[in-house]
Amino acid sequence: NAGVTQTPKFQVLKTGQSMTLQCAQDMNHEYMSWYRQDPGMGLRLIHYSVGAGITDQGEVPNGYNVSRSTTEDFPLRLLSAAPSQTSVYFCATRQLTGRGEQFFGPGTRLTVL
Amino acid sequence: ELKVEQNPLFLSMQEGKNYTIYCNYSTTSDRLYWYRQDPGKSLESLFVLLSNGAVKQEGRLMASLDTKARLSTLHITAAVHDLSATYFCAVDGETSGSRLTFGEGTQLTVNP
């Protein structure tokens, strides 16, 4: 089992460019989410999904879009990158029954120039 | 809105000493999680606490949950340098839907 995978690991963008951060999971978890973590700070929830076809906004959704067409994939789109979006992005998945533990991907380090 | 507060936010301690990190939360919940994050790495699950009075131990770390006090503790016994990391608690609030609410994290440094 690969668990939660994210690509790319590192990315540098210019202001105004768009890109998609990929997140995939093979744990059959209903819940998937995206966080950003800035230096010395905690986690801030961007968007989340409780199943295919269902997405919702977290604390800091502006500038980001998501979709969930399959259980396995939850891509995060930056529409027009800004320097304020320089951050480390983590995807996480969670089974909504049982222990409810949340598992994190390895992260994508994004720099916007 | 569920709020989760950890203290201290920064902790510098000597090897061999004991200390406790506290995680307080503001609304009813009986599910709480502890995570560890090493610098430049992702978050790794440490403990899953699913009921009042739950206690879990792994090596020099022990976590407990008191749902009546809305408090979880992460106790460190005889700290070693390898425990240096940032520790986060996360709460599954009854009114938060499926989202976990994270504390700000406690940055622990264990000095020789």
Side-chain angles (χ1 to χ4, degrees):
Chain A
N1 280 358
V4 185
T5 59
Q6 290 183 238
T7 55
K9 286 187 168 49
F10 301 93
Q11 182 70 49
V12 178
L13 292 178
K14 294 181 179 174
T15 297
Q17 287 185 313
S18 62
M19 80 158 295
T20 300
L21 280 61
Q22 301 291 345
C23 175
Q25 55 115 348
D26 62 2
M27 296 185 286
N28 202 31
H29 286 172
E30 305 98 323
Y31 178 89
M32 297 186 75
S33 55
W34 278 101
Y35 294 86
R36 62 177 287 174
Q37 186 177 38
D38 298 306
M41 296 186 66
L43 298 164
R44 291 189 288 170
L45 182 64
I46 305 171
H47 286 285
Y48 65 100
S49 167
V50 297
I54 306 169
T55 63
D56 208 343
Q57 296 181 348
E59 305 169 65
V60 289
N62 292 342
Y64 306 96
N65 271 1
V66 291
S67 60
R68 182 100 179 265
S69 55
T70 66
T71 300
E72 294 78 20
D73 300 295
F74 191 44
L76 178 72
R77 295 183 190 83
L78 279 69
L79 308 172
S80 176
S84 61
Q85 293 178 304
T86 294
S87 189
V88 179
Y89 292 84
F90 290 106
C91 177
T93 76
R94 183 173 185 229
Q95 189 163 6
L96 296 180
T97 56
R99 286 163 53 92
E101 199 172 355
Q102 183 158 287
F103 296 91
F104 286 82
T108 294
R109 188 174 295 274
L110 176 68
T111 302
V112 183
L113 303 175
Chain B
E1 181 190 342
L2 172 59
K3 292 194 187 307
V4 180
E5 292 185 350
Q6 287 182 234
N7 73 83
L9 298 183
F10 299 93
L11 176 55
S12 180
M13 55 191 299
Q14 283 188 310
E15 280 190 331
K17 299 291 189 186
N18 304 333
Y19 209 83
T20 300
I21 299 170
Y22 297 89
C23 174
N24 292 273
Y25 54 96
S26 60
T27 67
T28 305
S29 174
D30 59 1
R31 288 152 71 100
L32 190 140
Y33 308 85
W34 283 96
Y35 291 85
R36 168 180 172 144
Q37 184 179 35
D38 292 307
K41 303 289 187 184
S42 184
L43 281 80
E44 171 191 354
S45 179
L46 282 177
F47 298 111
V48 177
L49 303 169
L50 298 179
S51 61
N52 185 40
V55 177
K56 293 287 178 72
Q57 182 160 8
E58 179 77 31
R60 300 173 189 274
L61 299 178
M62 183 172 71
S64 65
L65 178 61
D66 181 343
T67 59
K68 292 183 172 54
R70 299 179 182 171
L71 171 69
S72 179
T73 59
L74 180 65
H75 186 73
I76 303 153
T77 302
V80 293
H81 180 69
D82 283 354
L83 290 179
S84 297
T86 300
Y87 294 85
F88 292 92
C89 64
V91 178
D92 190 356
E94 288 185 356
T95 58
S96 300
S98 47
R99 295 169 293 173
L100 294 185
T101 301
F102 281 80
E104 297 165 281
T106 297
Q107 188 175 316
L108 171 66
T109 304
V110 181
N111 302 304

